[in-house]
Amino acid sequence: ITAEIAKDRQIRKEIAEALAAEQLARRQQSALEQVNKKLTDQQTPFEDSLKTAAKKTKVVKQQLNEEIADLKSQIKDLHVHLKSHKRFAQTGVAAEEVQNSAMLVVDNG
């Protein structure tokens, strides 16, 4: 009988340990579900902010590309202007004659 009582106590102890482990597992599952929900709730606004940042970056890049193209055009115009001034200086034409005249400047390269 003593052996049966000891065996019964051992079984009860194992059942209690199993119940405690199950309760711990349920608490951990609940905690993980809460963490998952928080992450999911934060994911959408984060993705939205990333999309907004990407759109802003695209707009800024486009503006910079337009600005660069404009500056390149201005540099080209300045180069043509300086070239023509140099040509007039080499020909000996007076600055007053150039200012008071109409001219057509052709850039051959």
Side-chain angles (χ1 to χ4, degrees):
I1 296 181
T2 315
E4 290 178 17
I5 293 174
K7 189 175 182 182
D8 186 47
R9 286 184 185 162
Q10 182 63 29
I11 292 173
R12 288 177 191 255
K13 181 181 175 189
E14 289 175 5
I15 291 173
E17 289 173 355
L19 287 173
E22 181 184 5
Q23 289 175 350
L24 176 63
R26 288 184 193 274
R27 285 195 306 269
Q28 289 175 341
Q29 179 182 4
S30 176
L32 289 173
E33 287 172 351
Q34 289 174 1
V35 169
N36 188 36
K37 181 172 180 359
K38 285 181 182 179
L39 288 174
T40 302
D41 291 346
Q42 292 174 359
Q43 183 176 357
T44 302
F46 179 73
E47 288 175 348
D48 291 345
S49 67
L50 283 178
K51 287 177 186 176
T52 300
K55 287 178 184 177
K56 287 180 181 178
T57 301
K58 185 177 178 180
V59 168
V60 168
K61 279 184 179 180
Q62 186 174 353
Q63 289 172 342
L64 286 174
N65 286 337
E66 290 171 3
E67 207 172 307
I68 288 169
D70 183 49
L71 290 171
K72 284 181 178 180
S73 175
Q74 290 179 28
I75 289 171
K76 183 179 176 185
D77 292 346
L78 181 61
H79 182 68
V80 168
H81 177 74
L82 292 173
K83 229 176 169 180
S84 64
H85 266 287
K86 183 177 178 183
R87 285 183 190 156
F88 282 118
Q90 289 173 347
T91 61
V93 176
E96 295 133 13
E97 290 178 41
V98 173
Q99 285 181 341
N100 296 329
S101 65
M103 66 177 145
L104 175 64
V105 178
V106 178
D107 184 20
N108 292 329

